[in-house]
């Protein structure tokens, strides 16, 4: 009898845990759907007839972006197409079968681009130095060229709210610029439009959602741990603030969306003599020609 009671109790506990997990998943999914839908509407990210290319790295952010976009696509007021694209950079040990298997199961159109950028990065970047900058520039250039060749109208990247804030602080601390990642970026030559549908979403929500959805995460092992990366320093600072000062990051992001040029000191944005705003603006995309294999023209997103 005691064994039967114990088994019944364990079954009840298991059922309750599953119920709570399902409830948490539904709440998270609704929140991420709402935030993505709001970002798309606020910044006119997706329009009728768009062909949206979701850039998948194998990380939690891009998986979540594709997952929520597919969910929104079913009930969106306008029709748009989605394709998934991954760049296989030929990193040693990269599990090449993971993304194709996952995307096959989804039944979505996808493309795997194979380019050995790994060798270029290892050749050009001294041992112990940060590889992320060059790796990112090469990767995005290849993806942007692919988008133009395949009639893509919008390129979706998985950057979230925390990425936008981290980039703002990186540019202030190390670049001397008050600049972040825009939710929408149009290249000067009109070739590409980049959108960031997760711009309103918190990283910790995305991480929890990815865990509940059990996405097959592929770690980036090109750069190793690189614990002293400047971005990691900013990320650690934000995590401390989030614990010690709840609401601070939310307030910071609201400030990013509520800029008053007349109360800064940029004469390119504000005419202090006349007391009027100026349009300002700068180049968003530039062209580089890397040494090594010819990948064609590479467009570089300045962040």
């Amino acid at each position: 009898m005691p064994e039967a009671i114990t088994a019944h109790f364990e079954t009840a506990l298991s059922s309750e845990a599953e119920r709570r997990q399902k409830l948490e998943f539904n709440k998270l999914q609704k929140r991420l759907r709402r935030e993505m839908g709001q970002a798309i509407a606020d910044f006119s990210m997706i329009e009728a007839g768009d062909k949206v290319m979701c850039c998948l790295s194998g990380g939690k952010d891009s998986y979540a972006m594709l997952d929520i976009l597919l969910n929104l696509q079913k009930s969106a007021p306008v029709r748009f197409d989605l394709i998934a694209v991954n760049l296989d950079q030929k990193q040693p040990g990269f599990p090449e079968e993971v993304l194709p298997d996952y995307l096959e199961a989804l039944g979505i159109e996808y493309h795997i681009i194979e380019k050995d950028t790994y060798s270029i990065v290892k050749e050009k970047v001294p041992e112990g130095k940060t590889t992320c900058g060059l790796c990112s520039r090469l990767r995005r250039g290849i993806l942007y060229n692919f988008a133009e060749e395949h009639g893509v109208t919008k390129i979706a990247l998985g950057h979230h709210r925390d990425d936008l804030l981290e980039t703002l602080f990186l540019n202030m601390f190390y670049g001397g610029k008050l600049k972040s990642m825009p939710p929408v970026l149009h290249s000067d030559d009109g070739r590409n439009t980049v959108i960031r549908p997760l711009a309103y979403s918190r990283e910790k929500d995305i991480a929890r959602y990815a865990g509940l959805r059990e996405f097959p995460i592929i770690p980036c092992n090109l750069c190793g741990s690189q614990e002293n990366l400047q971005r990691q320093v900013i990320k650690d600072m934000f995590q401390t603030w989030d614990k010690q000062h709840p609401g601070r990051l939310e307030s910071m992001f609201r400030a990013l969306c509520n800029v008053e040029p007349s109360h800064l000191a940029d004469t390119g944005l504000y005419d202090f003599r006349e007391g009027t705003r100026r349009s300002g603006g700068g180049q968003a995309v530039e062209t580089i020609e890397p040494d090594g294999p010819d990948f064609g023209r590479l467009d570089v997103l300045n962040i």
Side-chain angles (χ1 to χ4, degrees), residues 42-107:
D42 286 351
F43 301 104
S44 302
M45 291 185 182
I46 298 178
E47 302 167 301
D50 269 340
K51 184 176 183 179
V52 181
M53 183 177 93
C54 294
C55 299
L56 294 186
S57 65
K60 67 182 190 311
D61 304 327
S62 56
Y63 273 124
M65 176 185 67
L66 175 61
D67 191 79
I68 300 299
L69 274 174
L70 284 169
N71 195 289
L72 283 175
Q73 187 185 36
K74 299 174 183 177
S75 57
V78 297
R79 186 195 65 78
F80 62 94
D81 296 323
L82 286 172
I83 66 170
V85 174
N86 168 255
L87 174 59
D88 180 355
Q89 298 176 266
K90 297 306 175 183
Q91 301 174 22
F94 182 79
E96 298 180 358
E97 73 286 349
V98 170
L99 277 170
D101 289 350
Y102 175 78
L103 295 169
E104 284 283 354
L106 284 183

Side-chain angles (χ1 to χ4, degrees), residues 38-39 42-43 45 160-161 164-165 168 178 180-184 198-201 249-261 264 277:
Q38 191 64 55
D42 286 351
F43 301 104
M45 291 185 182
H160 43 69
R161 186 202 69 178
L164 271 62
L165 286 174
L168 173 67
L178 195 63
S180 180
M181 296 177 176
V184 176
L198 292 174
Y200 284 166
S201 299
L249 298 185
E250 284 74 16
S251 180
M252 286 163 49
F253 187 74
R254 286 197 299 273
L256 192 61
C257 302
N258 186 24
V259 178
E260 182 47 69
L264 297 175
R277 295 190 184 193

Side-chain angles (χ1 to χ4, degrees), residues 112-133:
I112 307 295
I113 308 169
E114 297 185 3
K115 297 287 187 182
D116 185 7
T117 63
Y118 175 85
S119 297
I120 294 179
V121 171
K122 297 303 288 185
E123 177 187 347
K124 298 298 180 184
V125 179
E127 192 68 28
K129 296 294 184 179
T130 301
T131 59
C132 297

